[in-house]
Amino acid sequence: MKLCVIGGGGVRSMFLAKSIAGRAEKSDISELVFMDNDPTKLNIYGKMAKEVAHRICPSMKFTLTTDAAAAVTDADYVITTIRAGGDRMRVRDERIALNLGILGQETTGAAGFSFAMRSIPALMEYCELVKKYAKPDAAVFNFTNPVGVVSQTLRDMGYDFTFGICDAPSGMLRRFEQLYGYPEASLDALCYGLNHFSFFKYIKKDGIDIMPKIVGDDRAYKETDLRYFDKNLLTAKQFVPNEYLYYFYCREKAVENILNAPMTRGEQIEIINKAMTAALSKVDMENNFDKALEIFDEYYGQRENSYMASETGEKRESRFHFDMYAPDDGGYAGVALGIIDAKREKSNKSVICCVENTGKALDFLEETDTVEISCDMSSGRPVPIKIGEIPVENGEIIRRVKVYERLASKAIREKSRQTAIDCLYLHPLVGSYSLAEKLVDSYIDLNKDFTGEWSK
């Protein structure tokens, strides 16, 4: 089997390589290609990924390339993880929103729309290459943000071989397992909602729902990503939310914290990545890989510990070390590989991914809506599990965000300024037509080199 990664020069490339190489024999992956259109980053982070993969699974063929067509040729599966415009554009996306007093988060916030304006045209080109050069039944697993809007738009464009993936739900479950000393993948959970906007309906261990135990446990608010939420909220609601729902439950607090912080998350990432890349560029990767790992540990640890810190005031305090041999859940590569393995084995295991709302698994949404949801894999493809009754307020806010995503898809496909204004006006974190107009005009101007002209 040939697996291709578009965006293989990203700073998280080693994590991908580790996960894939560690499961290469089990998943029958004989060839792995990392492609990136930035040769400098590919020569640094791609080379580090290649070394990791070689040490873990030397029998697997590993290639680095800047040629996208060659990368996807005869591929069975493709993972896309790109950042069109780089870190600098993320910074500008977020600041445009913040200057209007609006949350500038790059996926769930208003800045996510600007990010999608750049992501989707680039992904469309890669999807066309997949159709032309990859295996006839090849699937694309998209990790490019904002996954919700991107997944909806790619499906609306007819790319029905694409699936959105995110490691936030599975990562949260893994942290609960670690909290209670449970074996990995021992929890059975039902997830529903949208990407970065999902809830767990239940989390079971040996058939018993332990969600009441989790939301009532003070340790969960210190050692897991429940740290971003008020315990009274979750015990009253009796659900476990995706960590990104913090921005909706505590919108004014998030905006205030960011404005009072020395810099935004995007600015933090830009500074850290720039310094890390400069330091690593001076290292001879082939002869001093251990030195490269030391540098990576230092800078990536800064990224990890500052995650959501500016927005929430809650900072992680842990020492990061990339251990290529330590077991892990595989991150977003693990999500993709879980789907691949389940398809090959036709197992009855469930996976969480972004798919169409087939059979109206969430009965208040349309069948053509993409949702992030627990899926049954017994048929060899992800089929969303019928969720049934959920709290009314959860359904209402999911519906509202889905309307935003539908309109965002339409606006980007048609390059329509008016539809873009409508979608951001309806976004729960914007909620103002006049502000939506200012946002849209700023984002159209910002992204003109990536998108071309939009209609008035």
Side-chain angles (χ1 to χ4, degrees):
M1 179 195 304
K2 178 179 177 180
L3 177 59
C4 168
V5 175
I6 302 293
V11 298
R12 295 180 67 180
S13 291
M14 284 201 301
F15 297 97
L16 264 173
K18 172 187 173 179
S19 301
I20 296 169
R23 292 171 60 169
E25 292 185 2
K26 176 182 182 294
S27 301
D28 195 29
I29 300 169
S30 56
E31 183 177 0
L32 179 60
V33 180
F34 273 31
M35 177 270 162
D36 204 288
N37 59 9
D38 185 331
T40 300
K41 291 178 66 179
L42 188 67
N43 196 48
I44 295 174
Y45 300 106
K47 274 189 174 180
M48 294 179 76
K50 185 175 183 178
E51 179 64 23
V52 168
H54 178 72
R55 292 189 182 191
I56 295 172
C57 185
S59 63
M60 180 181 66
K61 181 181 178 182
F62 193 117
T63 306
L64 300 175
T65 182
T66 56
D67 186 337
V72 302
T73 296
D74 294 328
D76 296 274
Y77 296 98
V78 177
I79 294 175
T80 56
T81 173
I82 65 173
R83 179 172 289 281
D87 295 329
R88 187 63 199 145
M89 290 297 281
R90 172 183 179 172
V91 168
R92 297 174 72 184
D93 290 340
E94 293 176 347
R95 276 296 174 192
I96 284 171
L98 286 169
N99 288 341
L100 294 171
I102 297 169
L103 183 72
Q105 210 281 328
E106 67 155 352
T107 58
T108 58
F113 180 77
S114 184
F115 193 4
M117 289 172 69
R118 299 189 300 275
S119 296
I120 288 163
L123 289 169
M124 182 176 140
E125 292 182 13
Y126 290 126
C127 284
E128 287 297 318
L129 290 176
V130 169
K131 285 172 63 176
K132 186 174 182 179
Y133 295 110
K135 296 277 183 66
D137 59 347
V140 173
F141 299 110
N142 175 63
F143 187 68
T144 299
N145 277 319
V147 171
V149 173
V150 168
S151 298
Q152 183 67 56
T153 310
L154 292 179
R155 286 277 177 160
D156 289 342
M157 287 177 162
Y159 300 118
D160 58 0
F161 50 84
T162 60
F163 302 89
I165 58 173
C166 181
D167 54 351
S170 60
M172 183 168 277
L173 291 175
R174 183 62 188 133
R175 283 185 281 275
F176 292 146
E177 289 167 345
Q178 292 168 342
L179 178 67
Y180 296 116
Y182 297 151
E184 184 178 331
S186 62
L187 293 178
D188 173 31
L190 189 62
C191 177
Y192 68 91
L194 311 174
N195 178 249
H196 285 183
F197 201 91
S198 58
F199 303 84
F200 286 108
K201 186 173 183 178
Y202 62 70
I203 301 174
K204 295 181 179 180
K205 178 70 170 72
D206 299 328
I208 299 173
D209 190 359
I210 64 167
M211 196 151 64
K213 171 184 176 181
I214 293 171
V215 299
D217 190 340
D218 287 339
R219 292 181 302 158
Y221 297 88
K222 295 178 182 178
E223 300 178 36
T224 79
D225 284 343
L226 293 192
R227 63 171 58 88
Y228 307 127
F229 298 93
D230 184 86
K231 182 181 177 183
N232 292 331
L233 166 67
L234 301 192
T235 52
K237 298 297 184 183
Q238 285 296 300
F239 58 57
V240 169
N242 186 292
E243 66 255 37
Y244 284 82
L245 277 159
Y246 164 81
Y247 298 112
F248 292 83
Y249 284 108
C250 305
R251 176 180 61 178
E252 76 292 340
K253 182 180 177 182
V255 173
E256 182 182 3
N257 285 343
I258 296 169
L259 290 175
N260 289 334
M263 62 186 73
T264 66
R265 175 63 174 166
E267 289 161 349
Q268 289 174 342
I269 294 297
E270 182 183 31
I271 291 170
I272 292 170
N273 284 353
K274 188 178 292 186
M276 178 164 59
T277 301
L280 288 170
S281 67
K282 300 174 183 177
V283 178
D284 181 350
M285 294 290 177
E286 295 177 357
N287 296 308
N288 200 0
F289 185 65
D290 289 341
K291 178 62 177 177
L293 285 179
E294 287 179 17
I295 294 171
F296 183 84
D297 282 352
E298 177 187 351
Y299 287 103
Y300 200 85
Q302 294 176 25
R303 280 180 56 124
E304 286 290 281
N305 284 333
S306 63
Y307 176 69
M308 289 183 73
S310 295
E311 301 92 330
T312 66
E314 295 288 338
K315 186 175 181 180
R316 296 175 177 177
E317 297 291 348
S318 60
R319 183 172 177 79
F320 174 81
H321 173 60
F322 179 80
D323 185 343
M324 70 186 76
Y325 301 112
D328 62 25
D329 60 7
Y332 62 92
V335 177
L337 292 169
I339 297 172
I340 292 170
D341 290 344
K343 179 181 178 180
R344 291 173 64 245
E345 300 162 3
K346 291 191 176 179
S347 68
N348 61 357
K349 69 183 290 185
S350 67
V351 298
I352 301 171
C353 64
C354 291
V355 295
E356 286 187 333
N357 188 37
T358 306
K360 300 200 77 170
L362 287 173
D363 57 14
F364 54 90
L365 298 181
E366 301 299 322
E367 288 215 31
T368 54
D369 288 335
T370 57
V371 292
E372 183 169 271
I373 196 166
S374 294
C375 295
D376 175 40
M377 287 295 300
S378 59
S379 65
R381 62 188 181 88
V383 177
I385 296 170
K386 199 88 170 172
I387 298 300
E389 186 176 351
I390 62 171
V392 172
E393 62 269 28
N394 289 7
E396 188 59 35
I397 192 65
I398 289 170
R399 190 201 320 268
R400 180 74 175 271
V401 174
K402 190 69 245 182
V403 171
Y404 154 73
E405 290 186 351
R406 285 188 209 132
L407 289 173
S409 168
K410 186 174 187 291
I412 291 169
R413 286 182 287 118
E414 298 178 358
K415 295 186 179 180
S416 168
R417 174 182 179 271
Q418 184 57 57
T419 307
I421 293 170
D422 291 341
C423 90
L424 281 172
Y425 159 59
L426 290 170
H427 194 302
L429 300 181
V430 179
S432 164
Y433 194 90
S434 58
L435 289 176
E437 283 186 301
K438 293 177 182 178
L439 280 170
V440 168
D441 287 339
S442 295
Y443 286 147
I444 287 175
D445 183 63
L446 176 67
N447 292 303
K448 59 189 176 185
D449 291 341
F450 295 86
T451 65
E453 294 297 322
W454 276 46
S455 65
K456 297 299 183 182

